[in-house]
Amino acid sequence: MDKDQDKILDEVTTGEYKYGFHSDIESEQIQKGLSEDVVRIISAKKNEPDWLLEFRLKAYRHWLTMKMPAWPNLKIPVINYQDIIFYSAPKQKPKLNSLDEIDPELKRTFDKLGIPLEEQKHLAGVAVDAVMDSVSVKTTFREALAEMGIIFCSFSDAVHEYPDLVKRYMGTVVPYTDNFFASLNSAVFSDGSFCYIPKGVRCPMELSTYFRINAANTGQFERTLLVADEESYVSYLEGCTAPSRDENQLHAAIVEIIAEKNSEVKYSTVQNWYPGDKDGKGGIFNFVTKRGMCRGENSKISWTQIETGSAITWKYPSCILRGDNSTGEFYSVAVTNNHQQADTGTKMIHIGKNTKSTIVSKGISAGKGQNSYRGLVKILKNASNARNFSQCDSLLLGDKCGAHTFPYLEVDNQTAIVEHEATTSKIGEDQIFYCNQRGISTEDAIGMIVNGYAREVINKLPMEFAVEAQKLLQISLEGSVG
Amino acid sequence: MLDINNLKVSIAGKSILKGVSLHVKPGEIHAIMGPNGSGKSTLASVLTGREFAEVTEGTVTYMGNNLLEMSPEDRAKEGIFLGFQYPIEIPGVSMVNFMKTAVNEKRKHHGLDPLSASDFLKMMREKKELVEIDSKLANRSVNEGFSGGEKKKNEIFQMAMLEPKLAILDETDSGLDIDALRIVANGVNKLKKADNSFIVITHYQRLLDHIIPDVVHVLYDGRIVKTAGKELALELEAKGYDWIKKEVENNVIA
Amino acid sequence: MSGNSEVSEKYLNLYRENIDKISSISAPYINSFRSSAFERFSKLGIPSKKDEAYKYTNLNIFFDHDYRSYFLPVASDFIKAEEFRCDVADLDAHGIVLLNGFYPTINDKLRQLPSGVWIGSINEAALRFPDLIEKHYGKYADSDTDGLVHLNTAMASDGVFVYVPKGVRFNKPVQIVNLVQSEEDMFNQHRNLIIVEKDAEFSIIICDHALSPKKFLTNAVTEVYVGESAHFDLVRVQNEHNAACKVTHTFIHQEKNSITSSINMTLHGGLIRNSTYHFLGGENAETNSCGLYLTDKWQHVDNFVNVDHAFPNCTSNQLFKGVLDDMSTGAFNGRILVRPDAQKTLAYQKNNNILLTDDAKMDTKPQLEIHADDVKCSHGATVGQLDGDALFYLQSRGIDKHEAKLMLMFGFAHEVIQNIKVEPLRERMDNLVMQRLRGELSRCASCVVKCG
Ligand SMILES: Nc1ncnc2c1ncn2[C@@H]1O[C@H](COP(=O)(O)OP(=O)(O)OP(=O)(O)O)[C@@H](O)[C@H]1O
Ligand SMILES: [Mg+2]
């Protein structure tokens, strides 16, 4: 059976990336490279107020003093920042009045990705902000949401229309000094989504941002800011794809979430950036800083991520549990196949009393993929009755991949209970045989078992996306997974 | 239907089956008994294509085909079903999804269209009633957290779903309470048709009270040392295996 | 240099100033390692909290201090050492004493025990058994990250040597008593080498004691070679005072089919860092690495364990438990590395901790690094309190709360103690731990020196 299994694994891993096409869209780009001038140009292009330019410049100057981190267990080729285009926007008229004014090719691209920009065509109950390269091209349902006081728009619009909100919250969870890529993003971020749910409002639809890299040689640096005011609720989903190219492209984003008293934010990601080909050529470097702050009592932030794409993924969606009784959750499935590397996990910082956190991480490694879980659970001295439970499992498919688990548990309070469990194992031959005996082929059996293994996390996704995620999981493992 | 001739099997170089011959005709029920470790489960594993056991000699023909050359799933799709002695847990894989895949794979193999979701659920419901399995069990992951008896009932349920031609039940009766034993036996009897056969591996007569075997074999030390009618099971129940062991030893001496 | 450069400079100078003196009393083979070890130490330096392996331990508290360094043995010191007996009732063991890192006997520096087993001074062994020393000395102790291993190689000149020849099943354990004694604050290093050849069996107990209430810093390296199908057990009992800092590095190299265990019992000490490296260098090898730490006051205990599965079919178990009282702190850093060809590895790791006060703190970092697919590996870590349900159950049977807590804590600790195979020692440890948990003095009851 071993040989068969290897063969099937092999077939499964040679599955093609479905979103690798490139659209011919005229874009407006600036010169390659990074300098203070480039930062100023980006800011000028976006007509930004001075305070924002100042913020960018401070970030840029700070970035210059920093060194690219040398992360253990990741092999990252040298990135030449002078070789990246930091701003690229699909050419279109400056103000959109109706859908007809969107470049038809642009619309076609999003249609092809399954993200129709016409509201009536879109999945009921999902509002989308579509971002291509450096700018947001369309936000659907904006008006409908506005009636409830919900602000959902591109980051650039927010800067002009709601400068006070942006000023009040931007950089409060991820300061521009936070880390190398966060500083870089703070200097050159181009667009992204902004969302504000007012007091007492439950957002009636899923909000979603879809990120697409299209142009070559560009980096994507978006910034998402999500504020849930007291007693509010929102579920937010982020998806992304990119064309298949031989060069690596850099994606360095920031997501900040603020949850006030009694509010709840669910943030889901289905990450499917181009992973590179099966020899490890090309693919996105996905270096992202995501962090949520449970500021108010009883607030809750829940991260769910399905990570199947990117050549290298480095991200740790985290929760700072400041409010008493606040809750943080992290549910993750990360798949690495071929030459992909993923280093992902979370940080749960317990500051308030009676704070709770749950971590469920499922790594799946196939081919030559390397998959690491890296997580920190920190219970501060005053966080009495804090609870954390972490479960980190790794599934290995094939004998050339690796699975690593690096949890850090720092406990400074006697009343805390912190538990971490992890297992690493191969897909069960007994389980495969049991399925075989019922007439199910090894390939299907593997698909079923992997999906079963990831089920706990997939179930946390909004319904519409769970199905998508399940398929994605199968595709990512196609040709390689056992 | 099934012809096993002089089958020799070893595991990790150790000889376990030492020349087993067995012939099962359509519609027959064969019981295999024998002391612990005699090779009963090994025989079941070989028939279903589990690879840890190595066939060193002998042939197995199933409905005219060389069974040993077939993959486990093809055997299953051709109608061989094994009720495992120790059914494994598969976390996260729902029974529904599992069974749907199995049923439809088999249908595909036989050139049939897959069952629609509603037909499939209807079938599930019927079969559940047939084996009186708690419907909650079917909503859980495969065998996960099932009690020993529940796992066994679940095997019978799956058998009912897959309607095998040749069902091998490896100690499906162990771990069952009295009612469950009756349910399992009834399930088997209801599934029994003129053209399908059963091999029932068991240690106890009580199952054979409900499932009346046509033939009873005793497997001892890798060989079938005695074959007789259903009265043999009663005799074994009353006398144990010692007399058989003695007979075997005497034969060897003689 | 990656470590703390200012503090490291002190030790670099110490080497430069004393290397001639050190070399003059050491065997040539041991000297032959010194300059390259010094090179590596000067690159790595004294570890700081920036080093991943020392993230939770601040060595500066002890390393940044002016000590008298004990480079040359002083004959008059030896008399005290001879008097010392660390009593474990009914423990039938061959004893060796090390004083400030030196073998304190002038005449009988190597002793032959029944069945051809040799014990004694490593420096002497380097002269008398050059073949054995050349085959094993400096072959297992290595680190790309920890400068202290190289500091030891550069400057240590004595320590214990044990040789158990092929096939010898040596039932009586050997007990090494490490004494530190000085009228001034003192820094010392020693180096042990234990060779257990093919098919042999051997068990060793290492006890650490401080005999005077001074500030002590010890940096010790122990190399152990365990041959094919051999069995080896190590129990380390650390019972020093709160001004003593002990840094130990133990490298256990195993050949195929061998079985080893290592148990660190830390009862007392100011700052203790035990690094234990297990290298499973052949198929079917098995290792059990355990530790128990009971800390109070300002103590800090850090256990670092590295299990390296380099061959298929090996098994490893790690079990480390701690009870932390007052404002003491603890760290655990356990790593399981499964190399690409080490299929069918079974590797387990567990670290459980109980914090008794709000000021106690525990940092734990269990790690799995797996490069082979057919493996079963798991780890678990917990930090918490005693199980409330269990406590209630005991109370409901009429046991008062305080006693019930003690019982539960004792049970918690006993899970580690029960791995000690030498029965009298196991009983002694149960006793000591019980006393320790009750807050009674837990030093060896018959210790001749009332220290600390
Ligand atoms: N995977 C294996 N590796 C080594 N030996 C095995 C293996 N599986 C079975 N055996 C040995 O083969 C012999 C037959 O085992 P088998 O399971 O077929 O017995 P059985 O007749 O089913 O017994 P029981 O009545 O206890 O279920 C036993 O001695 C058993 O130990
Ligand atoms: Mg059996």
Side-chain angles (χ1 to χ4, degrees):
Chain A
M1 193 204 293
D2 263 1
K3 259 213 192 109
D4 278 5
Q5 218 168 298
D6 285 352
K7 218 173 80 202
I8 288 167
L9 280 182
D10 202 53
E11 281 162 14
V12 178
T13 27
T14 47
E16 290 287 307
Y17 183 68
K18 279 207 316 204
Y19 307 97
F21 65 89
H22 160 249
S23 320
D24 223 348
I25 292 171
E26 211 186 324
S27 61
E28 179 195 351
Q29 297 185 335
I30 61 170
Q31 285 291 311
K32 272 186 186 176
L34 184 54
S35 65
E36 204 163 302
D37 281 346
V38 167
V39 174
R40 284 177 194 280
I41 291 169
I42 293 172
S43 185
K45 288 241 178 243
K46 307 183 83 65
N47 233 334
E48 281 175 358
D50 285 346
W51 61 266
L52 193 50
L53 175 62
E54 269 319 299
F55 176 87
R56 287 177 183 277
L57 289 172
K58 270 195 289 190
Y60 176 69
R61 286 169 199 144
H62 185 79
W63 180 76
L64 288 177
T65 67
M66 298 173 92
K67 267 209 296 248
M68 166 102 174
W71 291 310
N73 299 79
L74 280 185
K75 290 198 189 83
I76 304 175
V78 180
I79 298 172
N80 181 356
Y81 293 92
Q82 299 312 328
D83 217 25
I84 294 175
I85 298 168
F86 284 85
Y87 184 86
S88 168
K91 258 196 192 145
Q92 53 182 352
K93 290 183 192 155
K95 263 282 170 231
L96 288 176
N97 294 321
S98 90
L99 207 60
D100 303 335
E101 291 180 38
I102 298 182
D103 179 348
E105 181 61 30
L106 204 64
K107 234 173 70 195
R108 228 170 292 137
T109 303
F110 280 96
D111 278 346
K112 218 165 150 184
L113 295 169
I115 314 289
L117 299 180
E118 296 95 330
E119 291 180 2
Q120 64 277 20
K121 272 203 204 162
H122 207 270
L123 281 169
V126 184
V128 183
D129 182 20
V131 177
M132 181 177 284
D133 296 333
S134 302
V135 297
S136 164
V137 291
K138 168 78 187 167
T139 309
T140 62
F141 295 105
R142 213 180 136 166
E143 295 76 19
L145 291 167
E147 279 169 23
M148 307 183 69
I150 296 171
I151 304 169
F152 180 45
C153 63
S154 73
F155 201 91
S156 314
D157 287 352
V159 167
H160 291 110
E161 294 171 34
Y162 312 99
D164 291 345
L165 278 178
V166 175
K167 241 200 270 189
R168 173 152 17 123
Y169 289 110
M170 185 180 80
T172 58
V173 185
V174 181
Y176 67 83
T177 49
D178 196 79
N179 67 69
F180 186 81
F181 290 102
S183 293
L184 179 64
N185 175 290
S186 300
V188 303
F189 72 92
S190 39
D191 213 335
S193 305
F194 175 79
C195 167
Y196 173 81
I197 316 290
K199 254 189 206 169
V201 173
R202 283 185 72 86
C203 183
M205 48 177 97
E206 303 284 336
L207 301 188
S208 143
T209 305
Y210 194 90
F211 296 104
R212 173 75 179 169
I213 295 181
N214 189 51
N217 301 318
T218 55
Q220 178 150 323
F221 307 92
E222 84 277 355
R223 199 169 175 112
T224 299
L225 178 56
L226 222 155
V227 181
D229 215 327
E230 292 179 14
E231 324 275 339
S232 69
Y233 167 86
V234 63
S235 166
Y236 193 94
L237 186 112
E238 161 199 284
C240 45
T241 55
S244 310
R245 295 185 194 285
D246 283 351
E247 315 84 52
N248 296 114
Q249 278 178 284
L250 178 62
H251 172 247
I254 288 181
V255 176
E256 290 180 284
I257 300 178
I258 291 106
E260 301 285 10
K261 192 168 155 188
N262 294 327
S263 68
E264 178 175 351
V265 178
K266 249 174 93 80
Y267 193 106
S268 316
T269 305
V270 176
Q271 189 264 105
N272 188 23
W273 293 117
Y274 177 55
D277 71 8
K278 65 179 196 309
D279 302 317
K281 201 162 182 199
I284 303 292
F285 293 162
N286 188 34
F287 301 151
V288 174
T289 307
K290 292 185 170 178
R291 196 174 300 149
M293 164 94 78
C294 285
R295 276 230 308 217
E297 285 164 36
N298 297 313
S299 55
K300 176 172 174 184
I301 294 177
S302 175
W303 298 98
T304 304
Q305 57 173 25
I306 310 291
E307 302 283 317
T308 62
S310 298
I312 305 176
T313 294
W314 173 92
K315 64 182 264 201
Y316 312 92
S318 304
C319 298
I320 300 171
L321 303 170
R322 163 155 291 161
D324 289 350
N325 307 314
S326 59
T327 304
E329 294 179 340
F330 175 75
Y331 295 93
S332 168
V333 172
V335 182
T336 53
N337 197 355
N338 298 321
H339 290 262
Q340 282 176 273
Q341 306 174 57
D343 196 308
T344 183
T346 184
K347 291 182 188 172
M348 293 289 173
I349 313 294
H350 291 251
I351 301 172
K353 299 194 187 352
N354 306 315
T355 44
K356 278 203 287 293
S357 63
T358 305
I359 299 172
V360 176
S361 161
K362 306 266 179 182
I364 301 165
S365 318
K368 297 194 172 106
Q370 297 291 326
N371 208 324
S372 302
Y373 167 83
R374 194 181 301 279
L376 169 67
V377 174
K378 194 179 178 94
I379 312 287
L380 275 78
K381 203 167 174 53
N382 293 321
S384 44
N385 295 314
R387 296 284 177 273
N388 161 268
F389 178 74
S390 312
Q391 172 76 46
C392 306
D393 295 325
S394 306
L395 192 63
L396 294 155
L397 311 171
D399 57 3
K400 295 196 178 57
C401 51
H404 319 300
T405 316
F406 306 106
Y408 294 72
L409 279 51
E410 305 181 2
V411 183
D412 199 358
N413 184 295
Q414 174 204 5
T415 56
I417 297 180
V418 175
E419 290 173 83
H420 169 94
E421 276 172 22
T423 59
T424 301
S425 54
K426 183 186 176 169
I427 194 157
E429 276 179 25
D430 290 351
Q431 295 175 334
I432 293 175
F433 181 75
Y434 192 85
C435 295
N436 285 162
Q437 210 297 310
R438 301 300 186 242
I440 298 167
S441 71
T442 301
E443 179 162 6
D444 288 350
I446 286 166
M448 282 172 95
I449 294 167
V450 167
N451 264 306
Y453 166 81
R455 165 87 68 92
E456 199 182 344
V457 174
I458 291 176
N459 279 348
K460 296 283 165 185
L461 288 174
M463 260 295 279
E464 298 87 333
F465 302 103
V467 182
E468 209 41 45
Q470 218 153 339
K471 276 193 228 142
L472 194 55
L473 215 57
Q474 213 114 355
I475 293 166
S476 320
L477 290 174
E478 226 160 74
S480 78
V481 169
Chain B
M1 168 173 278
L2 179 73
D3 291 291
I4 305 174
N5 284 305
N6 190 29
L7 183 68
K8 295 191 180 168
V9 170
S10 57
I11 297 176
K14 186 179 146 211
S15 149
I16 305 288
L17 296 182
K18 304 169 178 171
V20 170
S21 298
L22 185 70
H23 306 279
V24 181
K25 295 201 196 73
E28 284 184 346
I29 297 182
H30 288 236
I32 299 182
M33 305 182 78
N36 292 136
S38 57
K40 303 179 297 295
S41 298
T42 305
L43 179 62
S45 298
V46 171
L47 293 180
T48 49
R50 212 169 168 171
E51 272 189 3
F52 69 92
E54 190 197 349
V55 176
T56 54
E57 221 182 299
T59 59
V60 182
T61 313
Y62 171 69
M63 308 222 299
N65 297 317
N66 179 353
L67 186 70
L68 299 178
E69 277 182 356
M70 292 162 71
S71 70
E73 57 267 36
D74 283 345
R75 297 180 201 203
K77 287 185 274 198
E78 284 294 333
I80 292 187
F81 177 89
L82 172 62
F84 287 81
Q85 185 175 0
Y86 306 107
I88 190 163
E89 304 191 359
I90 312 182
V93 173
S94 75
M95 272 305 296
V96 176
N97 188 15
F98 175 65
M99 270 294 102
K100 193 158 80 192
T101 314
V103 167
N104 285 333
E105 282 296 318
K106 181 167 176 181
R107 291 179 66 89
K108 194 161 95 196
H109 183 74
H110 292 289
L112 299 170
D113 286 336
L115 283 182
S116 72
S118 64
D119 284 350
F120 175 75
L121 289 176
K122 199 168 130 233
M123 178 176 172
M124 284 270 283
R125 221 172 306 123
E126 282 168 18
K127 304 294 183 181
K128 264 191 293 202
E129 277 162 24
L130 185 71
V131 297
E132 298 175 43
I133 187 172
D134 189 340
S135 42
K136 270 179 265 154
L137 288 184
N139 296 333
R140 306 219 314 239
S141 296
V142 180
N143 291 329
E144 193 183 27
F146 287 25
S147 75
E150 286 167 346
K151 284 182 184 168
K152 295 302 175 71
K153 276 207 254 179
N154 190 26
E155 295 290 293
I156 296 302
F157 165 66
Q158 292 177 39
M159 179 176 80
M161 291 290 291
L162 294 169
E163 299 174 335
K165 291 206 180 69
L166 172 65
I168 304 161
L169 302 180
D170 191 355
E171 295 193 29
T172 304
D173 53 337
S174 61
L176 292 179
D177 62 35
I178 295 157
D179 288 338
L181 186 70
R182 183 185 42 78
I183 292 165
V184 165
N186 283 350
V188 170
N189 288 329
K190 280 183 211 159
L191 294 167
K192 192 171 177 255
K193 295 192 198 110
D195 60 346
N196 62 1
S197 313
F198 289 86
I199 296 175
V200 181
I201 297 171
T202 182
H203 287 293
Y204 305 106
Q205 167 61 31
R206 52 171 200 217
L207 180 69
L208 304 178
D209 286 342
H210 301 281
I211 306 174
I212 315 281
D214 299 298
V215 195
V216 176
H217 308 274
V218 176
L219 187 67
Y220 173 63
D221 192 23
R223 289 188 185 87
I224 291 184
V225 294
K226 201 158 188 75
T227 299
K230 60 176 193 257
E231 60 296 339
L232 176 58
L234 289 167
E235 199 175 349
L236 289 172
E237 179 103 336
K239 299 205 280 187
Y241 288 110
D242 276 357
W243 63 282
I244 291 205
K245 291 182 188 169
K246 283 217 184 78
E247 250 183 52
V248 172
E249 279 155 25
N250 290 341
N251 280 348
V252 171
I253 294 162
Chain C
M1 180 181 307
S2 56
N4 183 318
S5 46
E6 223 174 281
V7 180
S8 303
E9 200 52 43
K10 262 197 183 120
Y11 293 84
L12 290 170
N13 285 335
L14 204 60
Y15 175 90
R16 293 185 193 108
E17 284 157 19
N18 295 287
I19 186 61
D20 291 343
K21 193 157 64 179
I22 291 168
S23 301
S24 71
I25 57 158
S26 310
Y29 191 73
I30 291 175
N31 283 335
S32 72
F33 284 79
R34 298 199 189 283
S35 68
S36 66
F38 176 72
E39 281 301 308
R40 292 185 69 185
F41 171 68
S42 37
K43 287 212 181 74
L44 293 165
I46 304 288
S48 75
K49 290 182 88 163
K50 284 196 193 108
D51 291 289
E52 187 61 30
Y54 284 85
K55 189 176 165 68
Y56 297 120
T57 295
N58 180 6
L59 290 177
N60 277 359
I61 302 171
F62 277 90
F63 277 78
D64 191 6
H65 182 77
D66 288 319
Y67 294 98
R68 173 169 85 98
S69 294
Y70 203 85
F71 291 130
L72 291 179
V74 181
S76 59
D77 290 346
F78 290 176
I79 296 157
K80 268 203 193 97
E82 306 250 282
E83 282 172 11
F84 183 85
R85 294 199 48 233
C86 170
D87 254 5
V88 177
D90 305 322
L91 176 64
D92 184 16
H94 298 283
I96 295 186
V97 176
L98 276 190
L99 180 70
N100 301 340
F102 284 87
Y103 194 76
T105 317
I106 295 149
N107 302 320
D108 203 9
K109 281 196 171 293
L110 269 178
R111 270 193 285 160
Q112 187 167 31
L113 302 176
S115 339
V117 171
W118 286 92
I119 59 175
S121 146
I122 193 171
N123 196 43
E124 185 71 10
L127 301 170
R128 300 247 309 260
F129 302 113
D131 290 353
L132 279 176
I133 292 289
E134 282 173 30
K135 195 163 159 206
H136 297 290
Y137 182 90
K139 298 294 181 290
Y140 316 115
D142 192 13
S143 172
D144 289 335
T145 50
D146 194 337
L148 294 178
V149 174
H150 305 292
L151 181 66
N152 179 285
T153 308
M155 294 206 271
S157 45
D158 205 359
V160 171
F161 170 80
V162 176
Y163 172 61
V164 187
K166 195 167 152 183
V168 174
R169 306 240 156 105
F170 203 69
N171 296 326
K172 198 163 153 177
V174 165
Q175 184 186 21
I176 303 177
V177 179
N178 280 324
L179 302 177
V180 282
Q181 140 76 36
S182 167
E183 298 315 313
E184 293 162 72
D185 293 353
M186 185 199 64
F187 166 60
N188 74 107
Q189 306 197 85
H190 60 271
R191 175 84 168 211
N192 304 325
L193 175 62
I194 299 165
I195 303 165
V196 184
E197 287 191 340
K198 190 174 165 184
D199 296 322
E201 275 180 35
F202 183 66
S203 136
I204 197 160
I205 300 160
I206 302 179
C207 301
D208 295 337
H209 295 275
L211 298 190
S212 50
K214 289 289 160 198
K215 194 161 174 168
F216 290 107
L217 172 60
T218 306
N219 178 45
V221 169
T222 302
E223 291 182 286
V224 183
Y225 170 83
V226 184
E228 192 180 323
S229 304
H231 290 205
F232 171 72
D233 297 311
L234 165 69
V235 182
R236 190 188 289 278
V237 182
Q238 297 174 313
N239 206 6
E240 298 189 315
H241 57 59
N242 293 348
C245 169
K246 185 130 255 167
V247 182
T248 73
H249 317 263
T250 307
F251 296 85
I252 303 177
H253 175 103
Q254 288 183 239
E255 298 289 351
K256 69 176 180 201
N257 299 322
S258 60
I259 301 177
T260 67
S261 72
S262 149
I263 304 172
N264 290 329
M265 301 282 306
T266 307
L267 302 176
H268 250 287
L271 189 159
I272 289 188
R273 156 73 176 217
N274 295 314
S275 307
T276 314
Y277 299 81
H278 300 267
F279 181 74
L280 298 167
E283 284 203 43
N284 295 311
E286 179 186 325
T287 186
N288 295 291
S289 194
C290 310
L292 176 69
Y293 37 98
L294 307 174
T295 62
D296 61 9
K297 309 274 166 36
W298 291 99
Q299 294 175 35
H300 176 79
V301 176
D302 178 357
N303 275 292
F304 174 97
V305 186
N306 189 72
V307 178
D308 187 344
H309 282 263
F311 285 84
N313 293 308
C314 294
T315 303
S316 68
N317 277 298
Q318 295 174 41
L319 176 66
F320 284 78
K321 293 188 143 196
V323 179
L324 297 98
D325 204 349
D326 298 337
M327 42 275 183
S328 65
T329 50
F332 172 75
N333 190 337
R335 175 169 175 250
I336 295 171
L337 170 65
V338 179
R339 294 186 187 264
D341 295 323
Q343 298 292 1
K344 307 253 184 246
T345 289
L346 300 178
Y348 306 101
Q349 182 184 58
K350 208 163 106 178
N351 174 232
N352 304 125
N353 303 282
I354 294 178
L355 300 183
L356 294 180
T357 69
D358 250 350
D359 294 315
K361 182 172 183 347
M362 181 69 204
D363 297 316
T364 172
K365 207 165 72 118
Q367 315 207 328
L368 299 175
E369 239 177 278
I370 317 287
H371 298 274
D373 67 329
D374 194 1
V375 301
K376 287 213 179 81
C377 301
S378 70
H379 68 197
T382 58
V383 183
Q385 316 115 61
L386 295 169
D387 179 2
D389 291 343
L391 199 60
F392 176 75
Y393 186 83
L394 292 178
Q395 285 176 273
S396 74
R397 297 288 181 267
I399 300 164
D400 83 74
K401 190 167 178 181
H402 179 74
E403 192 61 27
K405 274 186 168 172
L406 277 177
M407 283 173 75
L408 289 178
M409 268 191 278
F410 180 76
F412 177 84
H414 185 73
E415 217 199 320
V416 174
I417 300 172
Q418 71 187 9
N419 291 294
I420 298 174
K421 293 189 190 124
V422 181
E423 200 184 317
L425 183 64
R426 188 172 61 236
E427 281 165 11
R428 177 79 178 137
M429 283 305 124
D430 271 344
N431 250 319
L432 278 180
V433 165
M434 198 56 187
Q435 284 178 25
R436 182 76 167 75
L437 290 173
R438 286 185 188 284
E440 296 160 13
L441 195 71
S442 72
R443 302 195 173 82
C444 301
S446 58
C447 177
V448 287
V449 181
K450 297 283 171 239
C451 49

